[in-house]
Amino acid sequence: MAAAHAIVVDVSQWAGNNANSHAQIVGATYAQQAVMQASINNLITPGREGYGINALCELPGISLVIASKIFRFCAPQVGAAVDRHASYFFNSLPVAGRGMSTNFIREWSNGRHTSSRLAIYTPKNYGLNHAQYLEIYLPLLANMAYAMDILQAQYICASTKQAKNLTPADIEMAAYYWWACNGSR
């Protein structure tokens, strides 16, 4: 259980979770840490990912953005994060015959920020974005990674210097990077 808590704390820190939310994660109770462990077990069990995301999002300090980053960390072959940049990118990516590739619901924050964020703070918006994440976004990224693998389009890993096949997390990070450099707010 301590290992699951440590993973969630580390991902929260790495992801830049806000200070109040991060403190709630650091100070998680024993019962909350047990939920973290059960959630991570669900994230790495095919077909149970949605349960893991939901349970994590019910914990103090963890939003869909952070839960998806935990999923990416724990299951990088299938998981991918969704956040401001990735949702902007995929919401603007047209797919032939279907419109935009995703339709994540976004909302403006309370005026202190200059860009919108993923709408997750009402049950309806959370439900819509949770469904969009699991039913549209993750399959889209998996299909893109699969297509790149068929084309034998590998990348050179910065740490190992070895050629590797792309994963959904790699596609998400490429979209994040492109939008951060080129996208508009």
Side-chain angles (χ1 to χ4, degrees):
M1 202 162 11
H5 182 236
I7 289 169
V8 175
V9 167
D10 287 349
V11 170
S12 174
Q13 179 71 37
W14 164 80
N17 203 359
N18 72 61
N20 290 336
S21 294
H22 184 69
Q24 289 177 313
I25 293 168
V26 170
T29 67
Y30 183 80
Q32 291 167 336
Q33 291 180 37
V35 171
M36 290 174 188
Q37 174 147 0
S39 297
I40 289 173
N41 287 337
N42 280 326
L43 291 176
I44 62 174
T45 303
R48 305 245 350 128
E49 301 90 344
Y51 297 108
I53 295 288
N54 279 337
L56 284 170
C57 289
E58 291 176 7
L59 293 171
I62 301 178
S63 65
L64 180 58
V65 170
I66 299 300
S68 71
K69 291 180 182 195
I70 294 166
F71 184 29
R72 180 210 298 145
F73 178 81
C74 293
Q77 296 300 316
V78 294
V82 63
D83 56 19
R84 180 170 54 96
H85 293 304
S87 64
Y88 273 133
F89 179 85
F90 286 100
N91 275 3
S92 70
L93 183 65
V95 173
R98 201 179 110 197
M100 296 304 150
S101 61
T102 62
N103 188 26
F104 285 108
I105 308 300
R106 306 196 51 79
E107 66 187 358
W108 291 93
S109 59
N110 60 13
R112 293 182 300 196
H113 301 291
T114 58
S115 60
S116 65
R117 61 184 178 190
L118 216 53
I120 53 176
Y121 298 104
T122 66
K124 179 181 177 186
N125 285 344
Y126 171 78
L128 291 170
N129 280 338
H130 179 269
Q132 191 74 194
Y133 175 73
L134 291 172
E135 297 167 16
I136 305 295
Y137 182 70
L138 289 176
L140 175 66
L141 296 180
N143 287 334
M144 292 173 91
Y146 178 72
M148 296 297 282
D149 291 346
I150 287 174
L151 296 172
Q152 298 179 350
Q154 296 181 314
Y155 72 98
I156 303 299
C157 177
S159 62
T160 66
K161 309 298 184 219
Q162 300 295 315
K164 294 190 174 190
N165 289 337
L166 291 156
T167 68
D170 298 319
I171 302 296
E172 168 250 316
M173 288 302 297
Y176 174 96
Y177 180 76
W178 187 93
W179 194 267
C181 293
N182 302 294
S184 61
R185 296 187 185 264

